[in-house]
Every structure is written in structure tokens, then in C-alpha cells.
Amino acid sequence: QVQLVESGGGLVQPGGSLRLSCAASRITFSSYDMSWYRQASEKERELVAAITSAGGSTNYADSVKGRFTISRDNAKNTVYLQMNSLKPEDTAVYYCNAVRYYSASIRRDYWGQGTQVTVSS
């Protein structure tokens, strides 16, 4: 059974930093594009950051550009999200996603269980 296990969430003051990790098992990690999504209370889930399978390309939501950095270590089957200069509006449950494209219309997705990030003084 495929597992994506997030860790590193918690309570942090505005301006602080957190580093999220997502460890994958039972998938060929290096074949999957990886992303972080977040969902705040009563809001839709949104893409935060994404990284391609080999790590050669990344993209970010405008709201986190310059503050968050996504990276991956294919040898450890792990993707990271370094979050700096955190703001209260970053408060959300953060989810790890793995996606592999088999064709233009066929893809396989896996999701982690989520980790809570709360930014508050």
C-alpha cells in the first residue's frame, strides 16, 4: 500500500519558519512529480508548490513565492517544503501529493494525510 507521510507541522509565530517533510513508500518515487497543497478552514484546497520528478523544475503559488522552497531527495524518497516568513494566512492543513502521468489523459495520484500548520502569536 502506497504511503505518503507528512511531518513537521506545528504552531509558529508570524515571521517564523517551518520545514515540512513528506516520506513516500511503495512507489517509484523518482517517477512522480511531487506537490504540496494546503486547505484552510472553509476554503478549497490550493496548490502551494510543485517539483518535477527529477527536481529540475519547480513552481509556486504567487502567495508563497520568495518565502517557500520545495525540494526533493530521490535517494530518501522524500519531498520537503521550507517555509520562511510565515504569515497567519499560511495557516492550513498541508498535504503532500504524488502524481505520475501515463498519458495525456491517464494519471495516478496519491495523497498524504495532512499536517497542520498554524501561524499565530
Side-chain angles (χ1 to χ4, degrees):
Q1 183 177 353
V2 174
Q3 282 192 314
L4 299 178
V5 180
E6 299 102 333
S7 60
L11 173 64
V12 63
Q13 292 187 342
S17 297
L18 283 174
R19 188 193 196 203
L20 305 183
S21 299
C22 171
S25 59
R26 299 186 178 89
I27 61 171
T28 306
F29 184 75
S30 60
S31 296
Y32 284 76
D33 295 342
M34 300 297 298
S35 300
W36 288 95
Y37 286 74
R38 67 185 181 188
Q39 187 166 18
S41 179
E42 299 183 0
K43 291 189 176 181
E44 292 187 356
R45 191 172 296 190
E46 63 173 352
L47 176 67
V48 175
I51 187 166
T52 52
S53 58
S57 180
T58 59
N59 67 282
Y60 297 90
D62 287 342
S63 59
V64 307
K65 281 181 181 176
R67 299 188 298 122
F68 291 10
T69 303
I70 189 171
S71 62
R72 65 189 295 159
D73 185 338
N74 284 351
K76 295 183 177 179
N77 288 1
T78 302
V79 62
Y80 305 97
L81 185 67
Q82 178 67 44
M83 305 186 295
N84 299 328
S85 303
L86 282 161
K87 304 175 181 180
E89 51 263 43
D90 294 318
T91 296
V93 178
Y94 284 70
Y95 296 91
C96 176
N97 169 263
V99 61
R100 181 173 180 176
Y101 298 92
Y102 291 89
S103 71
S105 59
I106 300 174
R107 55 184 278 173
R108 178 169 290 175
D109 275 278
Y110 298 103
W111 291 91
Q113 82 288 350
T115 185
Q116 176 71 48
V117 171
T118 303
V119 184
S120 175
S121 55

